[in-house]
Amino acid sequence: MNHKNKMMMLLSSAALAIFAVLQAGQVVAAGAAGADKPLMLAEVSAANIFNRNLKKQKNPNAPPWEDGIHDTTNEATFNLQPPLEAYKGLPKTSFGNHVDWVKALDQGLIKPRWDRLDSNEEPFVMDLDIVRPVKASVPDVVFPHRQHTEWLFCSNCHPAIFIPQKGANQINMSAILLGKKCGVCHGKVSFPIETKTCKKCHSKPKPADWKPPLSEATLKNPWK
Amino acid sequence: MALKNERDFAFKSLLLGVLLTLGLMGVSQQSKAEYADVVINNYADAAGMRPAVFPHWFHRIRFRCKVCHADLGFKFKAGGNKITMAKIIDGQFCGACHNGEVAWSVENCAMCHSGIPGTPTHFHGSTLQRLVAPAYKPLDAKKASKK
């Protein structure tokens, strides 16, 4: 080790030592200042936050310059349209874009083109409901082709996402939540998967005499 | 070499602090952007441009999904279309409309390239992000710790 290096080490260790002393000093000072008050804060775990894992949506439909993904040092950011300006007069929901896109379209409040250039071309709408019975206690799922074919073409779903045959596709909630099957669009662009939207898909009530099937572990439970 | 370790430790805690702050900022930002906004940043950052931001809400007022996802061939995958400016000026992807005929032309770079530099390619407000263990955060953390 050469002289220079040693000097550097000495200097930096001195700096560290001073830093440590300063920090200790602060703690002492804080203790002295609060001598007449009970010292509590430091003894309670900061982990005990109410709703530890709750993610609240702050400021929905924020304008681009406040939304946290647009760069405010870019002047053009301020030329972009704030969503709320465009959503004026459209039917509201409390999730996703906070707009009911199906109603907005059905009521003719928006007229998105079906063709890139020709604003008169009409979509190929197919009105066919597919009912998917669900083993769990939630209402059965009704998949409506009508609302989907207003926006999408058959080839957007068939055959890559769904084989076009009733009951031929294995679908469950875990797949949907991970962005497969219905979750390719729902939870990304179409309405999201949250408590307020369960019944949009789970829309067919179970028969009055329906009871949840008992699990095998319950049926065979020797302690019963 | 206790000293070196100490310096290392100080540096690491600083780094950790910076990463944590960035992480927290990231979390709070996630919940504010408009649902279904896509940040596309496969190449932009590396070429010194801000990432592109594609607003679904704005376009779906004007076009059905079919126009982009069937006719123009956009795959249902953020960052999965390998969009480049060469393709755009040849009339593919965004260039099918942003050509001065259907919509304003490509010289308005900053209208599309408006994202905060360094934002990774991703979908805003997705259900996956809202899960208590979001899928893209750990990926991010892994990337950060490699640096």
Side-chain angles (χ1 to χ4, degrees):
Chain A
M1 197 177 267
N2 64 27
H3 188 68
K4 233 181 180 174
N5 261 346
K6 266 190 197 159
M7 277 302 285
M8 278 298 294
M9 273 176 57
L10 263 168
L11 268 172
S12 41
S13 66
L16 265 175
I18 291 169
F19 184 66
V21 167
L22 276 176
Q23 279 218 319
Q26 261 172 1
V27 171
V28 171
D36 46 347
K37 290 187 199 129
L39 247 185
M40 297 170 59
L41 284 178
E43 291 155 21
V44 178
S45 169
N48 297 331
I49 306 163
F50 190 78
N51 291 348
R52 188 172 68 90
N53 274 324
L54 179 70
K55 287 185 192 168
K56 269 244 174 78
Q57 193 185 19
K58 296 173 225 153
N59 194 6
N61 308 126
W65 46 92
E66 285 171 18
D67 71 359
I69 57 169
H70 286 91
D71 192 346
T72 48
T73 64
N74 171 27
E75 281 173 32
T77 293
F78 297 90
N79 294 338
L80 297 173
Q81 191 176 40
L84 281 180
E85 192 182 301
Y87 295 168
K88 220 170 265 167
L90 299 182
K92 290 198 176 86
T93 62
S94 52
F95 42 79
N97 295 118
H98 293 244
V99 168
D100 191 327
W101 294 108
V102 171
K103 271 198 196 142
L105 189 67
D106 286 349
Q107 297 171 3
L109 299 171
I110 55 170
K111 293 181 189 67
R113 290 187 186 178
W114 179 253
D115 184 79
R116 181 171 56 102
L117 303 170
D118 183 359
S119 55
N120 292 319
E121 210 169 296
E122 291 290 321
F124 175 52
V125 179
M126 184 174 84
D127 196 355
L128 169 69
D129 283 355
I130 308 272
V131 178
R132 308 235 354 162
V134 179
K135 277 197 195 125
S137 59
V138 290
D140 290 343
V141 173
V142 180
F143 171 83
H145 269 92
R146 186 189 71 81
Q147 290 93 312
H148 288 92
T149 50
E150 286 278 4
W151 290 97
L152 295 148
F153 197 59
C154 320
S155 67
N156 283 131
C157 289
H158 299 309
I161 308 178
F162 302 109
I163 304 162
Q165 191 190 327
K166 190 176 176 338
N169 302 272
Q170 286 250 10
I171 312 177
N172 57 47
M173 281 318 287
S174 334
I176 294 173
L177 287 164
L178 290 173
K180 303 267 153 57
K181 307 293 172 186
C182 317
V184 169
C185 302
H186 291 282
K188 298 276 179 57
V189 177
S190 329
F191 65 78
I193 318 289
E194 42 186 272
T195 314
K196 286 174 195 143
T197 64
C198 306
K199 285 189 175 169
K200 275 182 161 284
C201 295
H202 293 275
S203 59
K204 187 168 183 274
K206 290 267 199 298
D209 59 350
W210 191 91
K211 283 202 191 75
L214 290 174
S215 46
E216 210 161 305
T218 299
L219 293 172
K220 289 190 183 156
N221 185 353
W223 310 104
K224 206 165 48 175
Chain B
M1 286 300 295
L3 182 63
K4 184 173 178 302
N5 282 342
E6 240 167 294
R7 254 154 72 193
D8 236 40
F9 177 74
F11 178 68
K12 274 189 185 146
S13 10
L14 184 74
L15 199 70
L16 194 74
V18 170
L19 285 178
L20 271 175
T21 321
L22 284 176
L24 286 174
M25 274 163 61
V27 168
S28 59
Q29 280 167 3
Q30 262 176 36
S31 52
K32 275 198 290 179
E34 184 63 13
Y35 183 67
D37 274 5
V38 195
V39 175
I40 312 176
N41 191 6
N42 288 326
Y43 317 108
D45 257 3
M49 285 300 283
R50 293 182 176 93
V53 181
F54 173 79
H56 261 103
W57 67 270
F58 183 92
H59 288 84
R60 74 179 291 181
I61 290 175
R62 292 160 176 79
F63 300 96
R64 320 255 175 157
C65 329
K66 174 255 188 192
V67 174
C68 293
H69 291 293
D71 299 351
L72 298 178
F74 280 100
K75 288 190 205 125
F76 286 140
K77 182 91 192 73
N81 293 282
K82 304 202 161 61
I83 303 170
T84 61
M85 289 317 291
K87 292 177 188 167
I88 290 178
I89 60 175
D90 282 342
Q92 295 177 50
F93 299 116
C94 323
C97 301
H98 289 278
N99 54 8
E101 282 167 33
V102 181
W104 41 258
S105 183
V106 80
E107 65 269 20
N108 297 292
C109 318
M111 288 290 278
C112 294
H113 292 280
S114 60
I116 295 173
T119 313
T121 298
H122 70 291
F123 226 84
H124 262 278
S126 74
T127 295
L128 205 56
Q129 275 180 25
R130 296 181 64 256
L131 297 182
V132 165
Y136 97 74
K137 221 167 54 182
L139 277 177
D140 237 8
K142 227 187 272 162
K143 238 190 269 160
S145 65
K146 258 190 226 151
K147 274 183 199 160

